[in-house]
Structure formats: C-alpha cells, structure tokens
Amino acid sequence: MDEDATVQTYQNYIGGEWVSSVSGRTFENRNPANDDEVIGLFQDSTTSDVEAALAAAARAYDTWRLTPAPKRAELLLAAAARLVQHKEAFARDMTREMGKVLEETRGDVQEAIDMTQFMAGEGRRQYGQTVPSELRDKFAMSVRQPLGVCSMITPWNFPMAIPSWKIAPALVCGNTVVLKPATLTPLSAVNFVKVLEDVGIPPGVVNLVTGGAEVGTRMATHDVVKVVSFTGSTVVGRLVNQNAAPGFKKVHLEMGGKNVIVVMDDAQLELAVEGCLWGGFGTTGQRCTAASRVVVHEKVYDVFLREFAARAKALRVGNGLDEQTQMGPSVSESQLQTVMKYVEIGRAEGATLVTGGHRLDTGAYARGWFHEPTIFGDVAPGMRIAQEEIFGPVVSVMRCRSLDEAIAIGNGVAYGLSASIYTRDINKAFTAMRDMYTGIFYVNAPTIGAEVHLPFGGTKATGNGHREAGTAALDVFSEWKSIYVDFSGRLQRAQIDT
Ligand code: NAD
C-alpha cells in the first residue's frame, strides 16, 4: 500500500461548520481502478454526530420554511451555475472515487445541474389548486407545505446526481436536510454540499454526515426527522422502512432493479445491440436501471447474440480517467466478488457463458477491481442470474416466442424499475408499454437514460410508490394543506346547507 502523507481529510458539515466526528476516527476512500490511491479520509461518524446535524437542521427550519420559495430557488440557480463551472473537476473526482468513465461522471454532474435548475423553477410554481366552493362566499384552495427535517441516505453509483435529486426538491419546498452519502463515494457529496455552502445556503439548512449503517440507522429513527428519502439496495431499504415506521415518518424508497430489454423479430438489430451494450455495460452494469436481462425473439436470437457478444468482447475496459476507456472497474472488491460469485452461479445453473466470465487482474488491471464484460445465453427465466440483481457487467440473454411471453418474462421478477422494447411494430410497442409493470419504459432505447423532469422510480421491490424527479418529487418533500376561507359572515355547513 502506498500511503500518501498528503492525503486530505474531509469533515462533516454541521450547522454551517466543517467539523470532525466526535469518534475521532476516519475511513479511507480508495480508487477502484487503483487501490493504492487514497482519494481522501472521511469522518467515521457516530449517532452523536447525527444528532448534532439533526438539531442544526431543526433550528434552521424555523427560518428557512419562511424564506419565500423564489428566494430559496435563487440559491439553487446559483448552485447550478457553480456546478457548471466545476463540472470537469467534479467529474474527475467522481471517476477517481467510483470508477465510471469520465463521459459518464460528466453526465452525473450534468444531472445534478439539470435537477438543481429544474427545481429552482419550482420556486415560482409549486402549484396548488384553487377550486369553486359548494357554498356561497367561500374560497377553497390547496397549498404545498414543507415537512421539516429530511434524512437523505444515498448510494455510490450516482454520487452527485442522487443527492441532488433529493436535496434540490427538499430545499425548494422549504425543508432542511441531513445527507449521508455512501462510504464509497463521500467526495462527490462533499463537492455538492460545498457548492451549496459557497452560494450562501444558510447554516443548518443542509448538513452532511459521513459514515456507515450506524449513521443511517439514527437518521431513520430520530424523532425530529419527518421524511426519510433512501436510495440503495432493497435489503437496506426494507430495514430503513422498518426503522422509520414506528415514528410514522414519510419514507421514500428507491431500491434495486432487474431491468429487461425485449428485442422482437422486427427490431432494427444493430440499434438493439447498441442499446443492450449501453444498457448492460454502461456504468459497468452498476445502474439501478441497468439492462441486466435481454429477452430476444427466437427468430433473431442467434444473430443478435453473436453480434452482441462480439461487441461486448470488444469493449475497452480500463481506468475511467482514460478517454479511450469504455467500461471502468467495479466499485469495490466486494462488488467484484459479487460479480464473480454470480458468474459461478450462472455456470452452475447451466447457462451458456457466451463471452467474458473472468476477472481482469494483470498488467494495468492489477491494482483495480476489473472484470470482463460478460454475457450468458440460454438463460431460463427462473435462474438466479435472471432473477437477482448482480450490479455488475453481467447480462442474461433469454429466448421468447411471442410478445406475450416476453412481457411475462419481463414482469416475472421481484423488481419493477425500467423496461424497454425494440420493435418497429407500433402495436407491439404500445402493448408492451401498457403491460410491463415498471415505473419507467422505453421504446427503441435502452433501460437507462431518464431525464430529470419526469417522475423516476419503480414498482414492487424497487419502490414504495413515491417518485423522485419531476414535480412528483415535490410530493415527497411537501404535504398538502387544504384551506377554506368563509367570507359570508355566517355559519355555513358543508354538505348540509345549500
Ligand atoms: P446499499 O443499500 O448498500 O447502501 C445505500 C445507503 O444506505 C448507503 O449510504 C449505506 O451506507 C446506507 N446504509 C447501509 N446500511 C444502512 C442501515 N442499516 N440503515 C440506514 N442506512 C444504511 O446500496 P449501495 O450498494 O450503496 O447501492 C447499490 C444499490 O442501490 C443497488 O441495489 C441499486 O439498484 C440501488 N439503486 C437504486 C436506485 C433507484 O433509483 N431505484 C438508484 C441507484 C441505486
């Protein structure tokens, strides 16, 4: 190990101050493309740190909720402009801490820019309803109200985009925030929070506490917390839900996926291959929306699989900082071990390993967590590699004989985030669009690539009914108050007086 004495230590951000954890401990953030490189040391926080951050957020709420929404939005707009200025530097930091290629980390920062700009617009909207009253001389309307302190627990695969998806709508609605990023990617969260500090978000409105499950648990249980917004695995999401339930908190969960691309016999095959490559191996398969399953009509199965495998084999794997690289490493050693375990499971289940299947660990790969792009063919829908989220560069390809069968396979998993169909038949496209039970659906495009102004989220074990992004996010971070103003000067009884 190459311990660098100049490695920077990053602190928590609580009540407008950068402070160390009371634990006195830090944890390392290492580059998954080169484990010798320590990106930084971050606070290994405790419940006391969380409690201090939550108290700061509770104090700040009294003032922030009364700040006019357009004023709150001006700060978001300024933050978006600052993100634009620092986009390249933040993208490089992100590639170093989690491995995905520069083009994609630039996209991640861009998503934070887009979301922050979009939510700034909501400072002048947050439309409620004004409706006629059933009684004379009475006015009826509904307005959005903030909820208070929001806990935000985020994963490592979109380390700036996901915090921005939660923080921007929460702030524009008038809430205050404590953010806990994944321990694998705290630097991108620090970069984002620093931008908010730099543009003048008042002390305590946004707080950052780094650390692991202990921190997240307290954020889900503390009395002062009104909303818990979690993105991560289904296993942890269930725990968060259980922990938050006794306090009747509003819990927003975005969890795992096992997304499918259906390729029909009339599809433009070259386009479908491109889509499956990007959907399956973009972000090294580590997207919640990754196309980890492909269902191909039997008439084109062989030709599709041959071309898909050839293209996957040709992908340039390497350090994401190299502009030539098309696929980076897995985020961590343990994520790589998971990938390798599932490759073994796939073999043992009798699927055909069409390409890949091995760890890359020699030469330039020796110090990183690299794996070959891997495709299994002859996969049966019930196999574990077709059912469980692997979160790595492994795609399971299955055959179908009809659209109905493809839809049944598509829906036949525990998750329901994203699905797609490649076809030139509009009737098939609309049927699949209606019948795939997912929160997101694409036609002639892969399962990844959501835009910030539409709702984002999934069904079944992917989500609990809330949606991120778009104006749907406002429903997570605000609640409705219906207001009736009677200016008749007399008692009027609804449903009784006419
Ligand atoms: P994870 O569940 O391991 O961790 C997510 C966050 O929860 C991290 O910050 C982690 O430190 C924290 N955490 C861990 N234990 C906790 C506990 N007991 N209480 C509270 N917080 C706790 O997930 P990950 O490995 O960081 O991310 C990968 C997962 O995220 C995949 O399953 C992926 O599908 C999912 N994901 C979903 C979406 C979506 O929008 N649906 C988006 C991105 C990622």
Side-chain angles (χ1 to χ4, degrees), residues 114-115 118-128 144 165 168-170 172-173 250 451-456 466-480:
D114 294 347
M115 183 59 82
F118 177 80
M119 287 301 166
E122 285 304 317
R124 290 188 184 272
R125 286 191 292 266
Q126 297 185 43
Y127 297 135
R144 288 188 184 277
W165 289 6
V172 83
C173 288
K250 191 171 188 180
E451 301 178 29
V452 303
H453 43 300
L454 278 184
F456 181 98
H466 295 289
R467 289 291 184 269
E468 208 133 42
T471 52
L474 303 178
D475 295 332
V476 173
F477 296 108
S478 66
E479 57 191 351
W480 288 110

Side-chain angles (χ1 to χ4, degrees), residues 153-157 180 230-233 255-256 288 389 391 456:
I153 303 171
T154 54
W156 46 263
N157 64 338
K180 189 205 91 60
F230 168 88
T231 302
S233 62
M255 302 173 286
C288 50
E389 186 182 51
F391 230 53
F456 181 98

Side-chain angles (χ1 to χ4, degrees), residues 260-331:
V260 69
I261 292 180
V262 172
V263 181
M264 295 309 293
D265 50 344
D266 64 350
Q268 260 179 283
L269 273 194
E270 180 52 27
L271 186 67
V273 167
E274 292 269 0
C276 291
L277 269 184
W278 175 228
F281 301 111
T283 323
T284 320
Q286 302 171 122
R287 288 196 188 209
C288 50
T289 50
S292 53
R293 298 184 294 152
V294 179
V295 177
V296 188
H297 195 279
E298 60 181 1
K299 285 190 191 152
V300 292
Y301 179 91
D302 291 334
V303 54
F304 170 86
L305 190 56
R306 204 177 315 122
E307 184 59 18
F308 183 34
R311 294 287 302 278
K313 198 176 165 61
L315 285 174
R316 286 186 297 275
V317 179
N319 188 325
L321 287 177
D322 177 348
E323 301 274 2
Q324 301 305 310
T325 297
Q326 293 171 298
M327 193 182 96
S330 290
V331 74

Side-chain angles (χ1 to χ4, degrees), residues 176-475:
T176 56
V177 168
V178 176
L179 168 68
K180 189 205 91 60
T183 48
L184 291 168
T185 53
L187 180 55
S188 297
V190 166
N191 285 339
F192 187 69
V193 168
K194 184 88 180 50
V195 161
L196 296 175
E197 180 193 27
D198 290 347
V199 300
I201 294 279
V205 170
V206 174
N207 305 272
L208 169 81
V209 181
T210 55
E214 181 187 340
V215 172
T217 302
R218 193 66 187 120
M219 287 170 66
T221 54
H222 197 290
D223 280 347
V224 83
V225 173
K226 300 297 179 226
V227 181
V228 184
S229 180
F230 168 88
T231 302
S233 62
T234 299
V235 170
V236 175
R238 184 172 287 119
L239 270 179
V240 168
N241 205 19
Q242 286 165 350
N243 285 335
F248 303 115
K249 301 181 195 317
K250 191 171 188 180
V251 181
H252 160 231
L253 303 171
E254 296 290 345
M255 302 173 286
K258 191 72 185 174
N259 313 289
V260 69
I261 292 180
V262 172
V263 181
M264 295 309 293
D265 50 344
D266 64 350
Q268 260 179 283
L269 273 194
E270 180 52 27
L271 186 67
V273 167
E274 292 269 0
C276 291
L277 269 184
W278 175 228
F281 301 111
T283 323
T284 320
Q286 302 171 122
R287 288 196 188 209
C288 50
T289 50
S292 53
R293 298 184 294 152
V294 179
V295 177
V296 188
H297 195 279
E298 60 181 1
K299 285 190 191 152
V300 292
Y301 179 91
D302 291 334
V303 54
F304 170 86
L305 190 56
R306 204 177 315 122
E307 184 59 18
F308 183 34
R311 294 287 302 278
K313 198 176 165 61
L315 285 174
R316 286 186 297 275
V317 179
N319 188 325
L321 287 177
D322 177 348
E323 301 274 2
Q324 301 305 310
T325 297
Q326 293 171 298
M327 193 182 96
S330 290
V331 74
S332 64
E333 183 174 16
S334 99
Q335 199 65 45
L336 175 67
Q337 295 297 341
T338 302
V339 169
M340 291 162 65
K341 180 187 86 180
Y342 273 101
V343 170
E344 282 319 305
I345 290 171
R347 283 183 206 265
E349 287 179 310
T352 307
L353 185 59
V354 183
T355 186
H358 305 100
R359 178 180 177 177
L360 296 164
D361 57 3
T362 56
Y365 301 125
R367 300 299 308 149
W369 315 122
F370 295 96
H371 196 276
E372 292 174 333
T374 298
I375 297 173
F376 279 106
D378 303 317
V379 175
M383 289 180 182
R384 288 183 63 190
I385 56 167
Q387 290 287 326
E388 298 173 17
E389 186 182 51
I390 301 173
F391 230 53
V394 182
V395 178
S396 298
V397 184
M398 291 165 266
R399 278 189 185 77
C400 70
R401 279 157 299 184
S402 66
L403 179 63
D404 284 351
E405 189 185 3
I407 292 172
I409 294 172
N411 286 334
V413 292
Y415 303 103
L417 184 51
S418 183
S420 134
I421 189 167
Y422 281 81
T423 180
R424 281 182 273 204
D425 180 334
I426 193 164
N427 297 347
K428 290 196 172 82
F430 268 81
T431 302
M433 194 166 93
R434 183 192 61 199
D435 293 344
M436 283 286 195
Y437 184 41
T438 55
I440 307 170
F441 189 78
Y442 293 87
V443 178
N444 293 328
T447 52
I448 65 181
E451 301 178 29
V452 303
H453 43 300
L454 278 184
F456 181 98
T459 61
K460 302 191 280 185
T462 299
N464 63 343
H466 295 289
R467 289 291 184 269
E468 208 133 42
T471 52
L474 303 178
D475 295 332

